[in-house]
Amino acid sequence: MTESLAPQVSQAPQSSQTEALARLVGFFETISLADVGRIGAFYTDDADFKDPFNQVRGIPAIAAIFTHMFGQVDAPRFVVRETVLQGDAALLVWDFEFAFRKPLPAGPQCIRGCSHVRFAPDGRVAWHRDYWDAAEELYEKLPLIGSLMRWLRRRGAVETGR
């Protein structure tokens, strides 16, 4: 699948988009493995979804990403910190809180990121793109690769004299 910009979707009235955004935030903040089967209530049948690891289309593929998330980490939880809505497009700024499964580092973890979505006229998501820094937010926290990633970050940083 080739990368494309978010498609323009014909707009529903702003109050409908506000309600759709509130429903989506509620879904993300309370999602459990049992809720994955309800993804079709929030995404269109042909919705596009992209994050740093996946680029898929359609409800079964999007559901598989969320199912995989629940299989990879313990206690996953999204906390939406801020939203911006303009027409049929929304930005959700979130923290993804979780714990690695053993043998990875124990304790609470947090990935900070955001989702850019476009709503279809029926209020479901037609396009979803997640943005977060996999190097800083994930790889640097892993035992072997983390030291390499931190070294690369230091090598690429501008000297500030501090």
Side-chain angles (χ1 to χ4, degrees), residues 8-105:
Q8 296 295 320
V9 179
S10 59
Q11 293 187 19
Q14 189 67 27
S15 63
S16 297
Q17 302 299 358
T18 302
E19 292 168 10
L21 178 57
R23 281 181 356 106
L24 186 64
V25 168
F27 177 68
F28 283 139
E29 290 193 324
T30 61
I31 190 170
S32 68
L33 182 56
D35 294 320
V36 172
R38 298 185 319 121
I39 289 250
F42 300 92
Y43 287 85
T44 62
D45 293 343
D46 62 346
D48 289 310
F49 180 100
K50 183 172 181 172
D51 68 14
F53 299 115
N54 305 281
Q55 184 170 355
V56 300
R57 172 175 276 179
I59 291 170
I62 295 169
I65 290 169
F66 283 95
T67 299
H68 181 75
M69 172 189 75
F70 282 101
Q72 294 298 305
V73 298
D74 288 327
R77 179 174 104 101
F78 289 95
V79 178
V80 177
R81 302 287 181 193
E82 183 178 356
T83 61
V84 178
L85 179 64
Q86 181 176 357
D88 67 346
L91 183 73
L92 292 76
V93 178
W94 44 257
D95 290 346
F96 175 56
E97 300 173 347
F98 65 99
F100 285 122
R101 296 230 164 121
K102 290 183 179 186
L104 296 176

